[in-house]
Amino acid sequence: MAVLIPSSPGPGAVNPAYLDWGGVLRSPLGGADQKLNRLGDRFAIDVTMNTMASDDEAAAWVAALIKGKKEGAIFPWPQTIDVDGTGDGAVDGAGQAGTTLNIRGVTTGRKFKAGQMVSVVHGGRRYLHMLMAAGTASSAGKIALSIEPMMRVSYADGAVVEIDTPKIEGFTDGNSQGWSVDVARNVGLQFRITEAE
């Protein structure tokens, strides 16, 4: 089971990335370029932590990162925009596919912004998505969200949609300095999490 990376201290710097497994088909004879989209696009994030305040705190971080290499890691995705409202939602209907995610159970009139992140918990794993368009929840607390990347699995009806604190889940990679208590106390740990699916 994936380990939740500690939330304190907060990161000093983050560099998100969108991993696109498609490609552009270029004609060798000067024809129009075509974009080939493939299922499997996902996110990654490079994190540089602030230095740790104590050996105990540093050791807990090192342990979590090492466990994250073997079992997977969960890390809160830093929202870069203010998010309206509070509370999570739920997937509204099984069998959804593509780039429109229907959700329910949100506050009436809650506003969603282009560039906002949400994560869906399905089958014990989180899947991260970015909203491509703004929208407002209906009086029934429902909304159809335009998302990227497209859904990689068909989410179960009622699966939790984390809105307030979306999270990335995947495996950790560290830096060449290693994940030692000394590095954590004096330099700041560096790691990357790439979504596993």
Side-chain angles (χ1 to χ4, degrees), residues 9-29:
V14 293
N15 293 299
Y18 183 81
L19 307 178
D20 181 359
W21 297 109
V24 176
L25 302 175
R26 301 195 189 279
S27 170
L29 302 174

Side-chain angles (χ1 to χ4, degrees), residues 30-175:
D33 291 346
Q34 297 178 36
K35 178 65 166 90
L36 175 63
N37 293 309
R38 291 194 174 105
L39 188 65
D41 292 359
R42 50 188 166 266
F43 290 96
I45 190 166
D46 292 304
V47 180
T48 302
M49 295 303 300
N50 291 312
T51 54
M52 306 291 162
S54 70
D55 286 343
D56 289 347
E57 185 177 53
W61 265 91
V62 170
L65 291 174
I66 290 171
K67 191 171 183 182
K69 283 187 80 70
K70 302 207 180 264
E71 299 178 18
I74 300 168
F75 186 73
W77 188 271
Q79 291 276 30
T80 57
I81 56 178
D82 291 329
V83 176
D84 180 54
T86 58
D88 292 332
V91 171
D92 188 20
Q96 298 184 51
T99 58
T100 300
L101 176 63
N102 296 301
I103 68 170
R104 66 177 185 261
V106 297
T107 306
T108 298
R110 185 171 188 177
K111 296 186 184 334
F112 292 82
K113 300 176 181 178
Q116 181 177 339
M117 304 297 285
V118 298
S119 52
V120 180
V121 184
H122 170 82
R125 175 175 286 171
R126 284 170 174 79
Y127 298 84
L128 193 63
H129 297 282
M130 178 182 279
L131 306 189
M132 295 291 107
T136 303
S138 71
S139 59
K142 297 183 176 189
I143 187 168
L145 301 174
S146 174
I147 60 168
E148 285 292 342
M150 70 176 79
M151 288 174 254
R152 292 153 283 187
V153 296
S154 182
Y155 300 135
D157 180 48
V160 173
V161 180
E162 296 172 322
I163 302 168
D164 298 336
T165 309
K167 298 171 187 70
I168 186 171
E169 181 173 344
F171 294 97
T172 58
D173 293 312
N175 62 4

